Amino acid sequence: MKSISYVILLALILSSCAIVRQGEVGVKRKMGKLKEEALSPGPVVYNPLITRIIKVPTRTVNVEINSNLPSKEGLNVGSVISILYKIDPSYAPSVVENIGMNYEDVLITSVFRSAAADVCSRFFAKDMHTAQRAVIEQEISNQMRGILKNRGFEIEAVLLKTIQLPAGLARAVEEKLEAEQDAQRMEFLLQREKLEAQRKLVEAQGIRDAQKVITEGLNDQILKWQSIKAFKELSKSPNTKIIMTNGSTPFLIEPNK
């Protein structure tokens, strides 16, 4: 009998103890009434006959939603959106009491669909596929925060993961992007040719100026000096040679006038 009593006692002890893990808080409901303070992670002792411990996750949750977003021109744009949110631990009892544990369906997705429809209807469909995408995400996040912050929910980010434009519009966007890339490529080529032309012009001007300086610097005295240097270099050569000269230069013979 003692062993049976010990087993029953152990079962009662185990059933009257709950563990609140990291990333969640506990909400104690005693005889149908919720305690106002959330229970921190750790062991919690309670009377299982009249009390229940409700565990509320407070870590970041990622919920994906498939939705057709309306655009400014009246098109429906298929999309897959991720909403990153978490619950403020101090609001956990209020969430359980006023919304319930199915708060994701009751509140989060409903607020998102309303905010997304309102924001996206102010943008063209192509904007969801370009740099305006980040602006749309930020505006949806801000609108959701304004509604959900006082309800205990923190919206960390709204991410437009996949955007499916209508076939005709998608092709038009691609053609526009290709045209812009071609224009940028042509601009680059024109700029490169312009720079090359400028380089050649500077090079030609440099050669012209150098030749002008050399021409202006030549006179009879310099020519004689260069001729003497040439004779001197020729005299050092061991090879047999015949030098035709008029006495002034070994290479240039001035014809009789």
Side-chain angles (χ1 to χ4, degrees):
M1 291 293 293
K2 283 187 177 181
S3 60
I4 296 175
S5 299
Y6 288 145
V7 171
I8 295 174
L9 179 62
L10 180 61
L12 289 174
I13 293 174
L14 292 177
S15 64
S16 63
C17 182
I19 302 297
V20 179
R21 295 179 174 82
Q22 295 294 329
E24 62 184 15
V25 293
V27 177
K28 182 179 289 188
R29 175 180 286 164
K30 184 176 182 181
M31 299 183 68
K33 295 183 179 181
L34 294 173
K35 297 294 183 179
E36 294 182 357
E37 294 183 1
L39 302 174
S40 301
V44 179
V45 178
Y46 66 100
N47 185 346
L49 298 177
I50 59 174
T51 305
R52 179 187 172 194
I53 303 300
I54 303 171
K55 299 176 183 179
V56 180
T58 57
R59 64 180 66 88
T60 298
V61 178
N62 177 16
V63 54
E64 284 194 355
I65 298 177
N66 294 309
S67 179
N68 288 323
L69 302 176
S71 66
K72 189 173 182 179
E73 63 266 58
L75 298 175
N76 286 324
V77 180
S79 61
V80 177
I81 301 98
S82 281
I83 304 172
L84 302 180
Y85 75 94
K86 62 183 179 181
I87 296 177
D88 184 336
S90 63
Y91 279 83
S94 175
V95 170
V96 174
E97 181 178 5
N98 299 312
I99 304 171
M101 292 304 294
N102 60 337
Y103 49 81
E104 195 167 280
D105 293 330
V106 172
L107 195 62
I108 302 297
T109 57
S110 298
V111 171
F112 163 76
R113 293 185 187 280
S114 175
D118 179 59
V119 172
C120 292
S121 63
R122 293 187 264 115
F123 291 85
F124 291 106
K126 63 182 180 62
D127 294 336
M128 304 178 195
H129 209 268
T130 60
Q132 293 294 318
R133 186 169 181 162
V135 177
I136 296 172
E137 292 174 343
Q138 188 61 45
E139 289 199 16
I140 295 174
S141 298
N142 292 340
Q143 193 160 325
M144 291 184 69
R145 289 189 188 104
I147 299 173
L148 296 175
K149 183 177 181 179
N150 292 332
R151 306 295 296 272
F153 296 91
E154 180 182 343
I155 302 299
E156 297 182 353
V158 173
L159 306 174
L160 302 180
K161 296 176 62 177
T162 303
I163 297 295
Q164 297 177 345
L165 297 177
L169 180 59
R171 182 56 190 165
V173 171
E174 290 176 1
E175 290 176 351
K176 181 182 179 182
L177 293 176
E178 290 174 359
E180 290 176 351
Q181 292 174 354
D182 290 340
Q184 292 176 356
R185 190 181 300 109
M186 183 59 66
E187 181 66 23
F188 170 76
L189 293 175
L190 291 174
Q191 185 66 19
R192 187 179 67 179
E193 293 298 328
K194 183 179 179 180
L195 293 175
E196 180 65 15
Q198 292 177 350
R199 185 193 68 78
K200 290 181 178 179
L201 178 61
V202 172
E203 182 181 14
Q205 290 174 345
I207 294 173
R208 182 197 64 189
D209 294 342
Q211 291 176 344
K212 184 178 179 181
V213 171
I214 293 173
T215 301
E216 292 176 351
L218 292 176
N219 53 44
D220 292 340
Q221 295 299 323
I222 292 177
L223 291 173
K224 287 180 180 180
W225 170 250
Q226 294 295 332
S227 296
I228 292 172
K229 287 177 64 178
F231 276 120
K232 184 177 180 180
E233 293 298 325
L234 286 171
S235 67
K236 295 178 182 179
S237 174
N239 298 328
T240 302
K241 60 189 76 62
I242 298 174
I243 301 174
M244 299 178 65
T245 179
N246 61 353
S248 298
T249 173
F251 302 110
L252 300 176
I253 301 176
E254 183 179 359
N256 295 326
K257 296 181 179 180

PDB file of all heavy atoms in Angstrom, residues 39-72:
ATOM      1  N   LEU A  39       4.474  34.788 -16.131  1.00  0.00           N
ATOM      2  CA  LEU A  39       5.443  33.965 -15.412  1.00  0.00           C
ATOM      3  C   LEU A  39       6.724  33.841 -16.244  1.00  0.00           C
ATOM      4  O   LEU A  39       6.683  33.494 -17.424  1.00  0.00           O
ATOM      5  CB  LEU A  39       4.862  32.575 -15.153  1.00  0.00           C
ATOM      6  CG  LEU A  39       3.547  32.548 -14.355  1.00  0.00           C
ATOM      7  CD1 LEU A  39       2.997  31.131 -14.303  1.00  0.00           C
ATOM      8  CD2 LEU A  39       3.758  33.105 -12.946  1.00  0.00           C
ATOM      9  N   SER A  40       7.859  34.127 -15.616  1.00  0.00           N
ATOM     10  CA  SER A  40       9.147  34.048 -16.299  1.00  0.00           C
ATOM     11  C   SER A  40       9.544  32.590 -16.516  1.00  0.00           C
ATOM     12  O   SER A  40       9.009  31.683 -15.861  1.00  0.00           O
ATOM     13  CB  SER A  40      10.223  34.768 -15.477  1.00  0.00           C
ATOM     14  OG  SER A  40       9.872  36.124 -15.280  1.00  0.00           O
ATOM     15  N   PRO A  41      10.508  32.347 -17.432  1.00  0.00           N
ATOM     16  CA  PRO A  41      10.961  30.970 -17.664  1.00  0.00           C
ATOM     17  C   PRO A  41      11.474  30.323 -16.381  1.00  0.00           C
ATOM     18  O   PRO A  41      12.146  30.958 -15.565  1.00  0.00           O
ATOM     19  CB  PRO A  41      12.091  31.145 -18.689  1.00  0.00           C
ATOM     20  CG  PRO A  41      11.737  32.401 -19.417  1.00  0.00           C
ATOM     21  CD  PRO A  41      11.126  33.299 -18.382  1.00  0.00           C
ATOM     22  N   GLY A  42      11.139  29.040 -16.212  1.00  0.00           N
ATOM     23  CA  GLY A  42      11.552  28.290 -15.027  1.00  0.00           C
ATOM     24  C   GLY A  42      10.419  27.391 -14.555  1.00  0.00           C
ATOM     25  O   GLY A  42       9.334  27.344 -15.159  1.00  0.00           O
ATOM     26  N   PRO A  43      10.618  26.682 -13.469  1.00  0.00           N
ATOM     27  CA  PRO A  43       9.568  25.791 -12.938  1.00  0.00           C
ATOM     28  C   PRO A  43       8.454  26.584 -12.248  1.00  0.00           C
ATOM     29  O   PRO A  43       8.713  27.608 -11.613  1.00  0.00           O
ATOM     30  CB  PRO A  43      10.325  24.909 -11.947  1.00  0.00           C
ATOM     31  CG  PRO A  43      11.491  25.746 -11.520  1.00  0.00           C
ATOM     32  CD  PRO A  43      11.879  26.569 -12.709  1.00  0.00           C
ATOM     33  N   VAL A  44       7.228  26.112 -12.399  1.00  0.00           N
ATOM     34  CA  VAL A  44       6.073  26.757 -11.786  1.00  0.00           C
ATOM     35  C   VAL A  44       5.246  25.680 -11.072  1.00  0.00           C
ATOM     36  O   VAL A  44       4.866  24.675 -11.681  1.00  0.00           O
ATOM     37  CB  VAL A  44       5.193  27.474 -12.834  1.00  0.00           C
ATOM     38  CG1 VAL A  44       3.980  28.118 -12.157  1.00  0.00           C
ATOM     39  CG2 VAL A  44       5.999  28.505 -13.595  1.00  0.00           C
ATOM     40  N   VAL A  45       4.972  25.895  -9.798  1.00  0.00           N
ATOM     41  CA  VAL A  45       4.149  24.954  -9.024  1.00  0.00           C
ATOM     42  C   VAL A  45       2.727  25.492  -8.945  1.00  0.00           C
ATOM     43  O   VAL A  45       2.519  26.683  -8.666  1.00  0.00           O
ATOM     44  CB  VAL A  45       4.729  24.767  -7.603  1.00  0.00           C
ATOM     45  CG1 VAL A  45       3.838  23.829  -6.792  1.00  0.00           C
ATOM     46  CG2 VAL A  45       6.148  24.230  -7.667  1.00  0.00           C
ATOM     47  N   TYR A  46       1.758  24.639  -9.208  1.00  0.00           N
ATOM     48  CA  TYR A  46       0.364  25.075  -9.194  1.00  0.00           C
ATOM     49  C   TYR A  46      -0.535  23.891  -8.843  1.00  0.00           C
ATOM     50  O   TYR A  46      -0.103  22.732  -8.871  1.00  0.00           O
ATOM     51  CB  TYR A  46      -0.019  25.652 -10.558  1.00  0.00           C
ATOM     52  CG  TYR A  46      -0.023  24.634 -11.679  1.00  0.00           C
ATOM     53  CD1 TYR A  46      -1.228  24.080 -12.120  1.00  0.00           C
ATOM     54  CD2 TYR A  46       1.156  24.211 -12.277  1.00  0.00           C
ATOM     55  CE1 TYR A  46      -1.249  23.149 -13.127  1.00  0.00           C
ATOM     56  CE2 TYR A  46       1.145  23.281 -13.294  1.00  0.00           C
ATOM     57  CZ  TYR A  46      -0.047  22.746 -13.717  1.00  0.00           C
ATOM     58  OH  TYR A  46      -0.066  21.799 -14.719  1.00  0.00           O
ATOM     59  N   ASN A  47      -1.771  24.189  -8.545  1.00  0.00           N
ATOM     60  CA  ASN A  47      -2.763  23.166  -8.229  1.00  0.00           C
ATOM     61  C   ASN A  47      -3.479  22.777  -9.526  1.00  0.00           C
ATOM     62  O   ASN A  47      -4.262  23.566 -10.067  1.00  0.00           O
ATOM     63  CB  ASN A  47      -3.767  23.700  -7.213  1.00  0.00           C
ATOM     64  CG  ASN A  47      -4.757  22.636  -6.770  1.00  0.00           C
ATOM     65  OD1 ASN A  47      -4.888  21.583  -7.379  1.00  0.00           O
ATOM     66  ND2 ASN A  47      -5.479  22.917  -5.683  1.00  0.00           N
ATOM     67  N   PRO A  48      -3.221  21.591 -10.053  1.00  0.00           N
ATOM     68  CA  PRO A  48      -3.802  21.210 -11.344  1.00  0.00           C
ATOM     69  C   PRO A  48      -5.318  21.073 -11.328  1.00  0.00           C
ATOM     70  O   PRO A  48      -5.958  21.050 -12.379  1.00  0.00           O
ATOM     71  CB  PRO A  48      -3.123  19.864 -11.641  1.00  0.00           C
ATOM     72  CG  PRO A  48      -2.770  19.324 -10.303  1.00  0.00           C
ATOM     73  CD  PRO A  48      -2.410  20.519  -9.469  1.00  0.00           C
ATOM     74  N   LEU A  49      -5.915  21.015 -10.153  1.00  0.00           N
ATOM     75  CA  LEU A  49      -7.367  20.860 -10.072  1.00  0.00           C
ATOM     76  C   LEU A  49      -8.084  22.172 -10.359  1.00  0.00           C
ATOM     77  O   LEU A  49      -9.206  22.173 -10.879  1.00  0.00           O
ATOM     78  CB  LEU A  49      -7.764  20.334  -8.683  1.00  0.00           C
ATOM     79  CG  LEU A  49      -7.200  18.957  -8.311  1.00  0.00           C
ATOM     80  CD1 LEU A  49      -7.614  18.580  -6.892  1.00  0.00           C
ATOM     81  CD2 LEU A  49      -7.652  17.905  -9.310  1.00  0.00           C
ATOM     82  N   ILE A  50      -7.471  23.298 -10.013  1.00  0.00           N
ATOM     83  CA  ILE A  50      -8.164  24.579 -10.182  1.00  0.00           C
ATOM     84  C   ILE A  50      -7.346  25.579 -11.020  1.00  0.00           C
ATOM     85  O   ILE A  50      -7.835  26.670 -11.309  1.00  0.00           O
ATOM     86  CB  ILE A  50      -8.472  25.215  -8.811  1.00  0.00           C
ATOM     87  CG1 ILE A  50      -7.180  25.432  -8.023  1.00  0.00           C
ATOM     88  CG2 ILE A  50      -9.457  24.366  -8.027  1.00  0.00           C
ATOM     89  CD1 ILE A  50      -7.374  26.183  -6.723  1.00  0.00           C
ATOM     90  N   THR A  51      -6.130  25.189 -11.404  1.00  0.00           N
ATOM     91  CA  THR A  51      -5.245  26.139 -12.096  1.00  0.00           C
ATOM     92  C   THR A  51      -4.685  25.514 -13.372  1.00  0.00           C
ATOM     93  O   THR A  51      -4.412  24.305 -13.422  1.00  0.00           O
ATOM     94  CB  THR A  51      -4.076  26.574 -11.190  1.00  0.00           C
ATOM     95  OG1 THR A  51      -4.608  27.101  -9.973  1.00  0.00           O
ATOM     96  CG2 THR A  51      -3.212  27.629 -11.866  1.00  0.00           C
ATOM     97  N   ARG A  52      -4.488  26.370 -14.381  1.00  0.00           N
ATOM     98  CA  ARG A  52      -3.881  25.924 -15.631  1.00  0.00           C
ATOM     99  C   ARG A  52      -2.801  26.940 -16.015  1.00  0.00           C
ATOM    100  O   ARG A  52      -2.987  28.148 -15.838  1.00  0.00           O
ATOM    101  CB  ARG A  52      -4.925  25.833 -16.735  1.00  0.00           C
ATOM    102  CG  ARG A  52      -4.349  25.399 -18.077  1.00  0.00           C
ATOM    103  CD  ARG A  52      -5.389  25.488 -19.156  1.00  0.00           C
ATOM    104  NE  ARG A  52      -4.799  25.263 -20.474  1.00  0.00           N
ATOM    105  CZ  ARG A  52      -5.387  25.540 -21.627  1.00  0.00           C
ATOM    106  NH1 ARG A  52      -6.617  26.070 -21.608  1.00  0.00           N
ATOM    107  NH2 ARG A  52      -4.795  25.291 -22.762  1.00  0.00           N
ATOM    108  N   ILE A  53      -1.689  26.451 -16.530  1.00  0.00           N
ATOM    109  CA  ILE A  53      -0.597  27.317 -16.991  1.00  0.00           C
ATOM    110  C   ILE A  53      -0.626  27.354 -18.525  1.00  0.00           C
ATOM    111  O   ILE A  53      -0.460  26.330 -19.181  1.00  0.00           O
ATOM    112  CB  ILE A  53       0.775  26.824 -16.506  1.00  0.00           C
ATOM    113  CG1 ILE A  53       0.805  26.714 -14.982  1.00  0.00           C
ATOM    114  CG2 ILE A  53       1.884  27.754 -17.015  1.00  0.00           C
ATOM    115  CD1 ILE A  53       0.554  28.026 -14.278  1.00  0.00           C
ATOM    116  N   ILE A  54      -0.867  28.535 -19.078  1.00  0.00           N
ATOM    117  CA  ILE A  54      -0.889  28.720 -20.534  1.00  0.00           C
ATOM    118  C   ILE A  54       0.456  29.298 -20.968  1.00  0.00           C
ATOM    119  O   ILE A  54       0.893  30.329 -20.454  1.00  0.00           O
ATOM    120  CB  ILE A  54      -2.031  29.676 -20.950  1.00  0.00           C
ATOM    121  CG1 ILE A  54      -3.372  29.139 -20.449  1.00  0.00           C
ATOM    122  CG2 ILE A  54      -2.054  29.859 -22.457  1.00  0.00           C
ATOM    123  CD1 ILE A  54      -4.509  30.125 -20.632  1.00  0.00           C
ATOM    124  N   LYS A  55       1.122  28.634 -21.883  1.00  0.00           N
ATOM    125  CA  LYS A  55       2.439  29.072 -22.335  1.00  0.00           C
ATOM    126  C   LYS A  55       2.311  29.880 -23.628  1.00  0.00           C
ATOM    127  O   LYS A  55       1.708  29.420 -24.596  1.00  0.00           O
ATOM    128  CB  LYS A  55       3.354  27.872 -22.561  1.00  0.00           C
ATOM    129  CG  LYS A  55       3.581  27.061 -21.285  1.00  0.00           C
ATOM    130  CD  LYS A  55       4.412  25.826 -21.551  1.00  0.00           C
ATOM    131  CE  LYS A  55       4.557  24.995 -20.285  1.00  0.00           C
ATOM    132  NZ  LYS A  55       5.350  23.763 -20.507  1.00  0.00           N
ATOM    133  N   VAL A  56       2.879  31.093 -23.601  1.00  0.00           N
ATOM    134  CA  VAL A  56       2.789  32.009 -24.747  1.00  0.00           C
ATOM    135  C   VAL A  56       4.201  32.239 -25.311  1.00  0.00           C
ATOM    136  O   VAL A  56       5.078  32.701 -24.563  1.00  0.00           O
ATOM    137  CB  VAL A  56       2.170  33.359 -24.321  1.00  0.00           C
ATOM    138  CG1 VAL A  56       2.084  34.294 -25.524  1.00  0.00           C
ATOM    139  CG2 VAL A  56       0.801  33.140 -23.698  1.00  0.00           C
ATOM    140  N   PRO A  57       4.453  31.918 -26.581  1.00  0.00           N
ATOM    141  CA  PRO A  57       5.789  32.133 -27.151  1.00  0.00           C
ATOM    142  C   PRO A  57       6.091  33.621 -27.299  1.00  0.00           C
ATOM    143  O   PRO A  57       5.237  34.403 -27.719  1.00  0.00           O
ATOM    144  CB  PRO A  57       5.710  31.440 -28.516  1.00  0.00           C
ATOM    145  CG  PRO A  57       4.263  31.426 -28.855  1.00  0.00           C
ATOM    146  CD  PRO A  57       3.525  31.306 -27.548  1.00  0.00           C
ATOM    147  N   THR A  58       7.332  33.997 -26.937  1.00  0.00           N
ATOM    148  CA  THR A  58       7.759  35.398 -27.077  1.00  0.00           C
ATOM    149  C   THR A  58       8.941  35.549 -28.032  1.00  0.00           C
ATOM    150  O   THR A  58       9.426  36.653 -28.234  1.00  0.00           O
ATOM    151  CB  THR A  58       8.157  35.962 -25.701  1.00  0.00           C
ATOM    152  OG1 THR A  58       9.192  35.145 -25.126  1.00  0.00           O
ATOM    153  CG2 THR A  58       6.954  36.001 -24.767  1.00  0.00           C
ATOM    154  N   ARG A  59       9.393  34.453 -28.606  1.00  0.00           N
ATOM    155  CA  ARG A  59      10.484  34.524 -29.582  1.00  0.00           C
ATOM    156  C   ARG A  59       9.949  35.051 -30.915  1.00  0.00           C
ATOM    157  O   ARG A  59       8.725  35.092 -31.128  1.00  0.00           O
ATOM    158  CB  ARG A  59      11.123  33.149 -29.783  1.00  0.00           C
ATOM    159  CG  ARG A  59      10.171  32.131 -30.390  1.00  0.00           C
ATOM    160  CD  ARG A  59      10.840  30.777 -30.583  1.00  0.00           C
ATOM    161  NE  ARG A  59      11.179  30.172 -29.315  1.00  0.00           N
ATOM    162  CZ  ARG A  59      10.366  29.403 -28.624  1.00  0.00           C
ATOM    163  NH1 ARG A  59       9.129  29.171 -29.077  1.00  0.00           N
ATOM    164  NH2 ARG A  59      10.729  28.874 -27.484  1.00  0.00           N
ATOM    165  N   THR A  60      10.842  35.431 -31.836  1.00  0.00           N
ATOM    166  CA  THR A  60      10.440  35.928 -33.148  1.00  0.00           C
ATOM    167  C   THR A  60       9.790  34.819 -33.959  1.00  0.00           C
ATOM    168  O   THR A  60      10.319  33.707 -34.050  1.00  0.00           O
ATOM    169  CB  THR A  60      11.650  36.490 -33.917  1.00  0.00           C
ATOM    170  OG1 THR A  60      12.194  37.598 -33.179  1.00  0.00           O
ATOM    171  CG2 THR A  60      11.243  36.969 -35.296  1.00  0.00           C
ATOM    172  N   VAL A  61       8.636  35.124 -34.526  1.00  0.00           N
ATOM    173  CA  VAL A  61       7.881  34.160 -35.326  1.00  0.00           C
ATOM    174  C   VAL A  61       7.859  34.637 -36.775  1.00  0.00           C
ATOM    175  O   VAL A  61       7.718  35.834 -37.052  1.00  0.00           O
ATOM    176  CB  VAL A  61       6.435  34.020 -34.800  1.00  0.00           C
ATOM    177  CG1 VAL A  61       5.637  33.049 -35.662  1.00  0.00           C
ATOM    178  CG2 VAL A  61       6.462  33.555 -33.352  1.00  0.00           C
ATOM    179  N   ASN A  62       8.028  33.709 -37.696  1.00  0.00           N
ATOM    180  CA  ASN A  62       7.963  34.016 -39.127  1.00  0.00           C
ATOM    181  C   ASN A  62       6.710  33.362 -39.703  1.00  0.00           C
ATOM    182  O   ASN A  62       6.603  32.140 -39.738  1.00  0.00           O
ATOM    183  CB  ASN A  62       9.210  33.490 -39.846  1.00  0.00           C
ATOM    184  CG  ASN A  62       9.160  33.711 -41.353  1.00  0.00           C
ATOM    185  OD1 ASN A  62       8.354  34.500 -41.838  1.00  0.00           O
ATOM    186  ND2 ASN A  62      10.007  33.028 -42.092  1.00  0.00           N
ATOM    187  N   VAL A  63       5.773  34.194 -40.141  1.00  0.00           N
ATOM    188  CA  VAL A  63       4.557  33.665 -40.766  1.00  0.00           C
ATOM    189  C   VAL A  63       4.541  34.075 -42.234  1.00  0.00           C
ATOM    190  O   VAL A  63       4.767  35.240 -42.561  1.00  0.00           O
ATOM    191  CB  VAL A  63       3.291  34.175 -40.037  1.00  0.00           C
ATOM    192  CG1 VAL A  63       3.260  35.681 -39.946  1.00  0.00           C
ATOM    193  CG2 VAL A  63       2.040  33.674 -40.737  1.00  0.00           C
ATOM    194  N   GLU A  64       4.330  33.108 -43.107  1.00  0.00           N
ATOM    195  CA  GLU A  64       4.282  33.370 -44.544  1.00  0.00           C
ATOM    196  C   GLU A  64       2.833  33.436 -45.013  1.00  0.00           C
ATOM    197  O   GLU A  64       1.998  32.619 -44.613  1.00  0.00           O
ATOM    198  CB  GLU A  64       5.032  32.289 -45.329  1.00  0.00           C
ATOM    199  CG  GLU A  64       6.533  32.410 -45.263  1.00  0.00           C
ATOM    200  CD  GLU A  64       7.224  31.550 -46.307  1.00  0.00           C
ATOM    201  OE1 GLU A  64       6.518  30.789 -47.024  1.00  0.00           O
ATOM    202  OE2 GLU A  64       8.452  31.624 -46.413  1.00  0.00           O
ATOM    203  N   ILE A  65       2.565  34.411 -45.870  1.00  0.00           N
ATOM    204  CA  ILE A  65       1.212  34.612 -46.378  1.00  0.00           C
ATOM    205  C   ILE A  65       1.256  34.692 -47.900  1.00  0.00           C
ATOM    206  O   ILE A  65       2.058  35.452 -48.459  1.00  0.00           O
ATOM    207  CB  ILE A  65       0.588  35.909 -45.805  1.00  0.00           C
ATOM    208  CG1 ILE A  65       0.477  35.812 -44.287  1.00  0.00           C
ATOM    209  CG2 ILE A  65      -0.778  36.175 -46.430  1.00  0.00           C
ATOM    210  CD1 ILE A  65      -0.065  37.068 -43.632  1.00  0.00           C
ATOM    211  N   ASN A  66       0.422  33.925 -48.552  1.00  0.00           N
ATOM    212  CA  ASN A  66       0.234  34.043 -49.991  1.00  0.00           C
ATOM    213  C   ASN A  66      -0.933  35.000 -50.228  1.00  0.00           C
ATOM    214  O   ASN A  66      -2.029  34.792 -49.694  1.00  0.00           O
ATOM    215  CB  ASN A  66      -0.075  32.680 -50.623  1.00  0.00           C
ATOM    216  CG  ASN A  66       1.106  31.723 -50.530  1.00  0.00           C
ATOM    217  OD1 ASN A  66       2.219  32.066 -50.905  1.00  0.00           O
ATOM    218  ND2 ASN A  66       0.871  30.539 -50.005  1.00  0.00           N
ATOM    219  N   SER A  67      -0.672  36.026 -51.006  1.00  0.00           N
ATOM    220  CA  SER A  67      -1.709  37.045 -51.173  1.00  0.00           C
ATOM    221  C   SER A  67      -1.623  37.673 -52.555  1.00  0.00           C
ATOM    222  O   SER A  67      -0.551  37.719 -53.169  1.00  0.00           O
ATOM    223  CB  SER A  67      -1.548  38.128 -50.101  1.00  0.00           C
ATOM    224  OG  SER A  67      -2.516  39.133 -50.255  1.00  0.00           O
ATOM    225  N   ASN A  68      -2.782  38.136 -53.058  1.00  0.00           N
ATOM    226  CA  ASN A  68      -2.829  38.927 -54.277  1.00  0.00           C
ATOM    227  C   ASN A  68      -2.907  40.404 -53.880  1.00  0.00           C
ATOM    228  O   ASN A  68      -3.890  40.843 -53.277  1.00  0.00           O
ATOM    229  CB  ASN A  68      -4.051  38.550 -55.127  1.00  0.00           C
ATOM    230  CG  ASN A  68      -3.899  37.185 -55.763  1.00  0.00           C
ATOM    231  OD1 ASN A  68      -2.813  36.794 -56.172  1.00  0.00           O
ATOM    232  ND2 ASN A  68      -5.001  36.443 -55.838  1.00  0.00           N
ATOM    233  N   LEU A  69      -1.866  41.141 -54.203  1.00  0.00           N
ATOM    234  CA  LEU A  69      -1.789  42.546 -53.812  1.00  0.00           C
ATOM    235  C   LEU A  69      -2.341  43.427 -54.926  1.00  0.00           C
ATOM    236  O   LEU A  69      -1.946  43.283 -56.082  1.00  0.00           O
ATOM    237  CB  LEU A  69      -0.335  42.931 -53.521  1.00  0.00           C
ATOM    238  CG  LEU A  69       0.362  42.103 -52.433  1.00  0.00           C
ATOM    239  CD1 LEU A  69       1.820  42.530 -52.316  1.00  0.00           C
ATOM    240  CD2 LEU A  69      -0.353  42.234 -51.108  1.00  0.00           C
ATOM    241  N   PRO A  70      -3.236  44.354 -54.596  1.00  0.00           N
ATOM    242  CA  PRO A  70      -3.774  45.252 -55.617  1.00  0.00           C
ATOM    243  C   PRO A  70      -2.762  46.350 -55.949  1.00  0.00           C
ATOM    244  O   PRO A  70      -2.053  46.836 -55.063  1.00  0.00           O
ATOM    245  CB  PRO A  70      -5.015  45.843 -54.942  1.00  0.00           C
ATOM    246  CG  PRO A  70      -4.678  45.821 -53.488  1.00  0.00           C
ATOM    247  CD  PRO A  70      -3.833  44.598 -53.264  1.00  0.00           C
ATOM    248  N   SER A  71      -2.690  46.733 -57.229  1.00  0.00           N
ATOM    249  CA  SER A  71      -1.770  47.794 -57.643  1.00  0.00           C
ATOM    250  C   SER A  71      -2.552  49.052 -58.013  1.00  0.00           C
ATOM    251  O   SER A  71      -3.786  49.041 -58.101  1.00  0.00           O
ATOM    252  CB  SER A  71      -0.932  47.337 -58.839  1.00  0.00           C
ATOM    253  OG  SER A  71      -1.756  47.157 -59.977  1.00  0.00           O
ATOM    254  N   LYS A  72      -1.822  50.139 -58.250  1.00  0.00           N
ATOM    255  CA  LYS A  72      -2.446  51.424 -58.545  1.00  0.00           C
ATOM    256  C   LYS A  72      -3.247  51.374 -59.838  1.00  0.00           C
ATOM    257  O   LYS A  72      -4.284  52.037 -59.962  1.00  0.00           O
ATOM    258  CB  LYS A  72      -1.361  52.500 -58.635  1.00  0.00           C
ATOM    259  CG  LYS A  72      -1.895  53.922 -58.737  1.00  0.00           C
ATOM    260  CD  LYS A  72      -0.757  54.925 -58.653  1.00  0.00           C
ATOM    261  CE  LYS A  72      -1.284  56.355 -58.693  1.00  0.00           C
ATOM    262  NZ  LYS A  72      -0.184  57.350 -58.583  1.00  0.00           N
TER     263      LYS A  72
END
